[in-house]
PDB file of all heavy atoms in Angstrom:
ATOM      1  N   ILE A  49      36.444 -14.710  28.936  1.00  0.00           N
ATOM      2  CA  ILE A  49      35.974 -13.328  28.993  1.00  0.00           C
ATOM      3  C   ILE A  49      35.187 -13.096  30.286  1.00  0.00           C
ATOM      4  O   ILE A  49      34.224 -13.671  30.503  1.00  0.00           O
ATOM      5  CB  ILE A  49      35.112 -12.947  27.773  1.00  0.00           C
ATOM      6  CG1 ILE A  49      35.909 -13.082  26.496  1.00  0.00           C
ATOM      7  CG2 ILE A  49      34.491 -11.539  27.879  1.00  0.00           C
ATOM      8  CD1 ILE A  49      35.123 -12.964  25.203  1.00  0.00           C
ATOM      9  N   VAL A  50      35.790 -12.175  31.034  1.00  0.00           N
ATOM     10  CA  VAL A  50      35.246 -11.951  32.496  1.00  0.00           C
ATOM     11  C   VAL A  50      34.862 -10.506  32.667  1.00  0.00           C
ATOM     12  O   VAL A  50      35.619  -9.617  32.439  1.00  0.00           O
ATOM     13  CB  VAL A  50      36.290 -12.368  33.535  1.00  0.00           C
ATOM     14  CG1 VAL A  50      35.855 -12.029  34.873  1.00  0.00           C
ATOM     15  CG2 VAL A  50      36.691 -13.859  33.406  1.00  0.00           C
ATOM     16  N   PHE A  51      33.668 -10.383  33.146  1.00  0.00           N
ATOM     17  CA  PHE A  51      33.099  -8.995  33.576  1.00  0.00           C
ATOM     18  C   PHE A  51      33.228  -8.853  35.021  1.00  0.00           C
ATOM     19  O   PHE A  51      32.664  -9.702  35.789  1.00  0.00           O
ATOM     20  CB  PHE A  51      31.723  -8.819  33.057  1.00  0.00           C
ATOM     21  CG  PHE A  51      31.493  -8.711  31.617  1.00  0.00           C
ATOM     22  CD1 PHE A  51      31.484  -9.882  30.781  1.00  0.00           C
ATOM     23  CD2 PHE A  51      31.503  -7.445  30.944  1.00  0.00           C
ATOM     24  CE1 PHE A  51      31.366  -9.733  29.410  1.00  0.00           C
ATOM     25  CE2 PHE A  51      31.370  -7.317  29.673  1.00  0.00           C
ATOM     26  CZ  PHE A  51      31.319  -8.484  28.799  1.00  0.00           C
ATOM     27  N   VAL A  52      33.970  -7.860  35.468  1.00  0.00           N
ATOM     28  CA  VAL A  52      34.031  -7.523  36.926  1.00  0.00           C
ATOM     29  C   VAL A  52      33.359  -6.308  37.220  1.00  0.00           C
ATOM     30  O   VAL A  52      33.642  -5.203  36.780  1.00  0.00           O
ATOM     31  CB  VAL A  52      35.526  -7.386  37.317  1.00  0.00           C
ATOM     32  CG1 VAL A  52      35.682  -7.009  38.820  1.00  0.00           C
ATOM     33  CG2 VAL A  52      36.378  -8.699  37.012  1.00  0.00           C
ATOM     34  N   CYS A  53      32.206  -6.425  37.829  1.00  0.00           N
ATOM     35  CA  CYS A  53      31.258  -5.286  38.096  1.00  0.00           C
ATOM     36  C   CYS A  53      31.495  -4.768  39.505  1.00  0.00           C
ATOM     37  O   CYS A  53      31.176  -5.414  40.497  1.00  0.00           O
ATOM     38  CB  CYS A  53      29.790  -5.780  38.005  1.00  0.00           C
ATOM     39  SG  CYS A  53      29.459  -6.565  36.348  1.00  0.00           S
ATOM     40  N   ILE A  54      31.998  -3.520  39.550  1.00  0.00           N
ATOM     41  CA  ILE A  54      32.473  -3.009  40.844  1.00  0.00           C
ATOM     42  C   ILE A  54      31.475  -2.023  41.419  1.00  0.00           C
ATOM     43  O   ILE A  54      30.889  -1.192  40.755  1.00  0.00           O
ATOM     44  CB  ILE A  54      33.864  -2.270  40.571  1.00  0.00           C
ATOM     45  CG1 ILE A  54      34.851  -3.224  39.962  1.00  0.00           C
ATOM     46  CG2 ILE A  54      34.396  -1.644  41.956  1.00  0.00           C
ATOM     47  CD1 ILE A  54      36.040  -2.444  39.288  1.00  0.00           C
ATOM     48  N   GLY A  55      31.291  -2.032  42.728  1.00  0.00           N
ATOM     49  CA  GLY A  55      30.467  -1.095  43.421  1.00  0.00           C
ATOM     50  C   GLY A  55      29.743  -1.729  44.599  1.00  0.00           C
ATOM     51  O   GLY A  55      30.039  -2.897  44.937  1.00  0.00           O
ATOM     52  N   THR A  56      28.861  -1.003  45.217  1.00  0.00           N
ATOM     53  CA  THR A  56      28.168  -1.438  46.413  1.00  0.00           C
ATOM     54  C   THR A  56      26.714  -0.991  46.355  1.00  0.00           C
ATOM     55  O   THR A  56      26.376   0.179  46.012  1.00  0.00           O
ATOM     56  CB  THR A  56      28.813  -0.900  47.704  1.00  0.00           C
ATOM     57  OG1 THR A  56      28.002  -1.293  48.799  1.00  0.00           O
ATOM     58  CG2 THR A  56      29.031   0.563  47.711  1.00  0.00           C
ATOM     59  N   ASP A  57      25.814  -1.793  46.881  1.00  0.00           N
ATOM     60  CA  ASP A  57      24.435  -1.364  46.967  1.00  0.00           C
ATOM     61  C   ASP A  57      24.115  -0.499  48.204  1.00  0.00           C
ATOM     62  O   ASP A  57      22.950  -0.134  48.416  1.00  0.00           O
ATOM     63  CB  ASP A  57      23.525  -2.589  47.023  1.00  0.00           C
ATOM     64  CG  ASP A  57      23.725  -3.470  48.150  1.00  0.00           C
ATOM     65  OD1 ASP A  57      24.813  -3.333  48.895  1.00  0.00           O
ATOM     66  OD2 ASP A  57      22.910  -4.428  48.398  1.00  0.00           O
ATOM     67  N   ARG A  58      25.172  -0.209  48.935  1.00  0.00           N
ATOM     68  CA  ARG A  58      24.992   0.772  50.078  1.00  0.00           C
ATOM     69  C   ARG A  58      24.959   2.242  49.644  1.00  0.00           C
ATOM     70  O   ARG A  58      24.692   3.098  50.448  1.00  0.00           O
ATOM     71  CB  ARG A  58      26.087   0.499  51.112  1.00  0.00           C
ATOM     72  CG  ARG A  58      26.093  -0.817  51.750  1.00  0.00           C
ATOM     73  CD  ARG A  58      27.176  -1.003  52.763  1.00  0.00           C
ATOM     74  NE  ARG A  58      27.078  -2.414  53.403  1.00  0.00           N
ATOM     75  CZ  ARG A  58      26.440  -2.664  54.501  1.00  0.00           C
ATOM     76  NH1 ARG A  58      25.712  -1.718  55.098  1.00  0.00           N
ATOM     77  NH2 ARG A  58      26.448  -3.868  55.004  1.00  0.00           N
ATOM     78  N   SER A  59      25.282   2.452  48.438  1.00  0.00           N
ATOM     79  CA  SER A  59      25.279   3.805  47.826  1.00  0.00           C
ATOM     80  C   SER A  59      24.544   3.804  46.525  1.00  0.00           C
ATOM     81  O   SER A  59      24.897   3.010  45.645  1.00  0.00           O
ATOM     82  CB  SER A  59      26.701   4.309  47.679  1.00  0.00           C
ATOM     83  OG  SER A  59      26.702   5.546  46.937  1.00  0.00           O
ATOM     84  N   THR A  60      23.434   4.548  46.418  1.00  0.00           N
ATOM     85  CA  THR A  60      22.702   4.525  45.218  1.00  0.00           C
ATOM     86  C   THR A  60      23.573   4.750  43.963  1.00  0.00           C
ATOM     87  O   THR A  60      23.466   4.035  42.961  1.00  0.00           O
ATOM     88  CB  THR A  60      21.643   5.554  45.228  1.00  0.00           C
ATOM     89  OG1 THR A  60      20.803   5.462  46.390  1.00  0.00           O
ATOM     90  CG2 THR A  60      20.653   5.529  44.001  1.00  0.00           C
ATOM     91  N   GLY A  61      24.425   5.794  43.988  1.00  0.00           N
ATOM     92  CA  GLY A  61      25.196   6.072  42.813  1.00  0.00           C
ATOM     93  C   GLY A  61      26.252   5.037  42.477  1.00  0.00           C
ATOM     94  O   GLY A  61      26.546   4.764  41.303  1.00  0.00           O
ATOM     95  N   ASP A  62      26.705   4.309  43.532  1.00  0.00           N
ATOM     96  CA  ASP A  62      27.792   3.344  43.348  1.00  0.00           C
ATOM     97  C   ASP A  62      27.168   1.939  43.100  1.00  0.00           C
ATOM     98  O   ASP A  62      27.948   0.946  43.011  1.00  0.00           O
ATOM     99  CB  ASP A  62      28.740   3.382  44.551  1.00  0.00           C
ATOM    100  CG  ASP A  62      30.079   2.815  44.252  1.00  0.00           C
ATOM    101  OD1 ASP A  62      30.439   2.849  42.997  1.00  0.00           O
ATOM    102  OD2 ASP A  62      30.824   2.438  45.154  1.00  0.00           O
ATOM    103  N   SER A  63      25.823   1.848  42.927  1.00  0.00           N
ATOM    104  CA  SER A  63      25.252   0.567  42.782  1.00  0.00           C
ATOM    105  C   SER A  63      25.162   0.146  41.270  1.00  0.00           C
ATOM    106  O   SER A  63      24.620  -0.934  40.894  1.00  0.00           O
ATOM    107  CB  SER A  63      23.750   0.518  43.374  1.00  0.00           C
ATOM    108  OG  SER A  63      23.007   1.487  42.649  1.00  0.00           O
ATOM    109  N   LEU A  64      25.730   1.003  40.364  1.00  0.00           N
ATOM    110  CA  LEU A  64      25.650   0.662  38.935  1.00  0.00           C
ATOM    111  C   LEU A  64      26.260  -0.693  38.593  1.00  0.00           C
ATOM    112  O   LEU A  64      25.671  -1.520  37.965  1.00  0.00           O
ATOM    113  CB  LEU A  64      26.294   1.759  38.110  1.00  0.00           C
ATOM    114  CG  LEU A  64      26.316   1.549  36.652  1.00  0.00           C
ATOM    115  CD1 LEU A  64      24.900   1.749  35.988  1.00  0.00           C
ATOM    116  CD2 LEU A  64      27.294   2.507  35.866  1.00  0.00           C
ATOM    117  N   GLY A  65      27.500  -0.915  39.061  1.00  0.00           N
ATOM    118  CA  GLY A  65      28.166  -2.174  38.755  1.00  0.00           C
ATOM    119  C   GLY A  65      27.427  -3.423  39.271  1.00  0.00           C
ATOM    120  O   GLY A  65      27.172  -4.339  38.479  1.00  0.00           O
ATOM    121  N   PRO A  66      27.061  -3.512  40.522  1.00  0.00           N
ATOM    122  CA  PRO A  66      26.241  -4.601  41.057  1.00  0.00           C
ATOM    123  C   PRO A  66      24.922  -4.863  40.312  1.00  0.00           C
ATOM    124  O   PRO A  66      24.515  -6.012  40.128  1.00  0.00           O
ATOM    125  CB  PRO A  66      26.107  -4.294  42.558  1.00  0.00           C
ATOM    126  CG  PRO A  66      27.213  -3.394  42.924  1.00  0.00           C
ATOM    127  CD  PRO A  66      27.418  -2.488  41.668  1.00  0.00           C
ATOM    128  N   LEU A  67      24.294  -3.757  39.959  1.00  0.00           N
ATOM    129  CA  LEU A  67      23.041  -3.917  39.208  1.00  0.00           C
ATOM    130  C   LEU A  67      23.309  -4.551  37.902  1.00  0.00           C
ATOM    131  O   LEU A  67      22.608  -5.476  37.426  1.00  0.00           O
ATOM    132  CB  LEU A  67      22.404  -2.551  38.988  1.00  0.00           C
ATOM    133  CG  LEU A  67      21.631  -2.019  40.257  1.00  0.00           C
ATOM    134  CD1 LEU A  67      21.295  -0.498  40.055  1.00  0.00           C
ATOM    135  CD2 LEU A  67      20.398  -2.814  40.470  1.00  0.00           C
ATOM    136  N   VAL A  68      24.344  -4.051  37.135  1.00  0.00           N
ATOM    137  CA  VAL A  68      24.661  -4.667  35.903  1.00  0.00           C
ATOM    138  C   VAL A  68      24.977  -6.173  36.045  1.00  0.00           C
ATOM    139  O   VAL A  68      24.445  -7.003  35.364  1.00  0.00           O
ATOM    140  CB  VAL A  68      25.895  -3.973  35.212  1.00  0.00           C
ATOM    141  CG1 VAL A  68      26.360  -4.748  33.982  1.00  0.00           C
ATOM    142  CG2 VAL A  68      25.582  -2.553  34.868  1.00  0.00           C
ATOM    143  N   GLY A  69      25.754  -6.501  37.056  1.00  0.00           N
ATOM    144  CA  GLY A  69      26.116  -7.859  37.370  1.00  0.00           C
ATOM    145  C   GLY A  69      24.857  -8.760  37.652  1.00  0.00           C
ATOM    146  O   GLY A  69      24.753  -9.885  37.099  1.00  0.00           O
ATOM    147  N   SER A  70      23.926  -8.246  38.400  1.00  0.00           N
ATOM    148  CA  SER A  70      22.634  -8.983  38.676  1.00  0.00           C
ATOM    149  C   SER A  70      21.811  -9.120  37.414  1.00  0.00           C
ATOM    150  O   SER A  70      21.280 -10.211  37.173  1.00  0.00           O
ATOM    151  CB  SER A  70      21.839  -8.225  39.718  1.00  0.00           C
ATOM    152  OG  SER A  70      22.540  -8.264  41.052  1.00  0.00           O
ATOM    153  N   PHE A  71      21.703  -8.102  36.591  1.00  0.00           N
ATOM    154  CA  PHE A  71      20.937  -8.162  35.403  1.00  0.00           C
ATOM    155  C   PHE A  71      21.584  -9.234  34.473  1.00  0.00           C
ATOM    156  O   PHE A  71      20.927  -9.995  33.741  1.00  0.00           O
ATOM    157  CB  PHE A  71      20.939  -6.839  34.645  1.00  0.00           C
ATOM    158  CG  PHE A  71      20.036  -5.836  35.349  1.00  0.00           C
ATOM    159  CD1 PHE A  71      20.301  -4.470  35.261  1.00  0.00           C
ATOM    160  CD2 PHE A  71      18.918  -6.188  36.038  1.00  0.00           C
ATOM    161  CE1 PHE A  71      19.518  -3.518  35.912  1.00  0.00           C
ATOM    162  CE2 PHE A  71      18.072  -5.286  36.652  1.00  0.00           C
ATOM    163  CZ  PHE A  71      18.335  -3.981  36.632  1.00  0.00           C
ATOM    164  N   LEU A  72      22.890  -9.226  34.326  1.00  0.00           N
ATOM    165  CA  LEU A  72      23.641 -10.179  33.502  1.00  0.00           C
ATOM    166  C   LEU A  72      23.442 -11.659  34.032  1.00  0.00           C
ATOM    167  O   LEU A  72      23.318 -12.653  33.300  1.00  0.00           O
ATOM    168  CB  LEU A  72      25.098  -9.896  33.406  1.00  0.00           C
ATOM    169  CG  LEU A  72      25.462  -8.593  32.694  1.00  0.00           C
ATOM    170  CD1 LEU A  72      26.886  -8.336  32.693  1.00  0.00           C
ATOM    171  CD2 LEU A  72      25.031  -8.736  31.142  1.00  0.00           C
ATOM    172  N   GLU A  73      23.475 -11.799  35.356  1.00  0.00           N
ATOM    173  CA  GLU A  73      23.259 -13.106  36.018  1.00  0.00           C
ATOM    174  C   GLU A  73      21.903 -13.648  35.606  1.00  0.00           C
ATOM    175  O   GLU A  73      21.741 -14.847  35.434  1.00  0.00           O
ATOM    176  CB  GLU A  73      23.450 -12.946  37.460  1.00  0.00           C
ATOM    177  CG  GLU A  73      23.589 -14.262  38.219  1.00  0.00           C
ATOM    178  CD  GLU A  73      23.884 -14.103  39.715  1.00  0.00           C
ATOM    179  OE1 GLU A  73      23.064 -13.424  40.361  1.00  0.00           O
ATOM    180  OE2 GLU A  73      24.909 -14.584  40.191  1.00  0.00           O
ATOM    181  N   GLU A  74      20.952 -12.862  35.659  1.00  0.00           N
ATOM    182  CA  GLU A  74      19.536 -13.288  35.265  1.00  0.00           C
ATOM    183  C   GLU A  74      19.397 -13.739  33.800  1.00  0.00           C
ATOM    184  O   GLU A  74      18.698 -14.656  33.465  1.00  0.00           O
ATOM    185  CB  GLU A  74      18.546 -12.098  35.443  1.00  0.00           C
ATOM    186  CG  GLU A  74      18.285 -11.751  36.920  1.00  0.00           C
ATOM    187  CD  GLU A  74      17.520 -10.474  37.053  1.00  0.00           C
ATOM    188  OE1 GLU A  74      17.066  -9.887  36.041  1.00  0.00           O
ATOM    189  OE2 GLU A  74      17.221 -10.038  38.258  1.00  0.00           O
ATOM    190  N   LYS A  75      20.242 -13.108  32.916  1.00  0.00           N
ATOM    191  CA  LYS A  75      20.296 -13.513  31.508  1.00  0.00           C
ATOM    192  C   LYS A  75      20.994 -14.771  31.232  1.00  0.00           C
ATOM    193  O   LYS A  75      20.821 -15.335  30.162  1.00  0.00           O
ATOM    194  CB  LYS A  75      20.773 -12.320  30.681  1.00  0.00           C
ATOM    195  CG  LYS A  75      19.963 -11.040  30.683  1.00  0.00           C
ATOM    196  CD  LYS A  75      20.670  -9.934  29.935  1.00  0.00           C
ATOM    197  CE  LYS A  75      19.836  -8.599  29.954  1.00  0.00           C
ATOM    198  NZ  LYS A  75      18.533  -8.717  29.374  1.00  0.00           N
ATOM    199  N   ASP A  76      21.868 -15.138  32.126  1.00  0.00           N
ATOM    200  CA  ASP A  76      22.597 -16.416  32.028  1.00  0.00           C
ATOM    201  C   ASP A  76      23.364 -16.448  30.637  1.00  0.00           C
ATOM    202  O   ASP A  76      23.063 -17.297  29.755  1.00  0.00           O
ATOM    203  CB  ASP A  76      21.660 -17.641  32.182  1.00  0.00           C
ATOM    204  CG  ASP A  76      22.482 -18.937  32.172  1.00  0.00           C
ATOM    205  OD1 ASP A  76      23.602 -18.965  32.654  1.00  0.00           O
ATOM    206  OD2 ASP A  76      21.908 -20.027  31.753  1.00  0.00           O
ATOM    207  N   ILE A  77      24.306 -15.535  30.487  1.00  0.00           N
ATOM    208  CA  ILE A  77      25.035 -15.371  29.222  1.00  0.00           C
ATOM    209  C   ILE A  77      26.012 -16.433  28.996  1.00  0.00           C
ATOM    210  O   ILE A  77      27.000 -16.593  29.848  1.00  0.00           O
ATOM    211  CB  ILE A  77      25.671 -13.931  29.205  1.00  0.00           C
ATOM    212  CG1 ILE A  77      24.672 -12.913  29.221  1.00  0.00           C
ATOM    213  CG2 ILE A  77      26.477 -13.807  27.932  1.00  0.00           C
ATOM    214  CD1 ILE A  77      25.145 -11.558  29.240  1.00  0.00           C
ATOM    215  N   PRO A  78      26.010 -17.272  27.965  1.00  0.00           N
ATOM    216  CA  PRO A  78      26.961 -18.237  27.701  1.00  0.00           C
ATOM    217  C   PRO A  78      28.291 -17.643  27.295  1.00  0.00           C
ATOM    218  O   PRO A  78      28.324 -16.619  26.658  1.00  0.00           O
ATOM    219  CB  PRO A  78      26.428 -19.046  26.560  1.00  0.00           C
ATOM    220  CG  PRO A  78      25.471 -18.134  25.879  1.00  0.00           C
ATOM    221  CD  PRO A  78      24.930 -17.207  26.923  1.00  0.00           C
ATOM    222  N   HIS A  79      29.420 -18.304  27.627  1.00  0.00           N
ATOM    223  CA  HIS A  79      30.769 -17.925  27.235  1.00  0.00           C
ATOM    224  C   HIS A  79      31.263 -16.611  27.952  1.00  0.00           C
ATOM    225  O   HIS A  79      32.478 -16.410  27.889  1.00  0.00           O
ATOM    226  CB  HIS A  79      30.886 -17.669  25.748  1.00  0.00           C
ATOM    227  CG  HIS A  79      30.311 -18.808  24.896  1.00  0.00           C
ATOM    228  ND1 HIS A  79      30.780 -20.093  24.993  1.00  0.00           N
ATOM    229  CD2 HIS A  79      29.356 -18.784  23.946  1.00  0.00           C
ATOM    230  CE1 HIS A  79      30.093 -20.815  24.217  1.00  0.00           C
ATOM    231  NE2 HIS A  79      29.204 -20.156  23.537  1.00  0.00           N
ATOM    232  N   PHE A  80      30.515 -15.916  28.683  1.00  0.00           N
ATOM    233  CA  PHE A  80      30.936 -14.742  29.537  1.00  0.00           C
ATOM    234  C   PHE A  80      30.731 -15.152  30.950  1.00  0.00           C
ATOM    235  O   PHE A  80      29.803 -15.753  31.354  1.00  0.00           O
ATOM    236  CB  PHE A  80      30.134 -13.515  29.161  1.00  0.00           C
ATOM    237  CG  PHE A  80      30.347 -12.933  27.789  1.00  0.00           C
ATOM    238  CD1 PHE A  80      31.286 -13.507  26.937  1.00  0.00           C
ATOM    239  CD2 PHE A  80      29.741 -11.714  27.461  1.00  0.00           C
ATOM    240  CE1 PHE A  80      31.459 -12.906  25.666  1.00  0.00           C
ATOM    241  CE2 PHE A  80      29.986 -11.159  26.226  1.00  0.00           C
ATOM    242  CZ  PHE A  80      30.877 -11.703  25.340  1.00  0.00           C
TER     243      PHE A  80
END
Side-chain angles (χ1 to χ4, degrees):
I49 296 174
V50 175
F51 289 85
V52 178
C53 306
I54 304 163
T56 173
D57 60 349
R58 294 180 181 271
S59 169
T60 307
D62 207 17
S63 64
L64 178 71
L67 281 168
V68 172
S70 292
F71 290 147
L72 291 176
E73 193 175 57
E74 292 173 0
K75 294 178 183 297
D76 190 26
I77 298 177
H79 308 302
F80 287 5

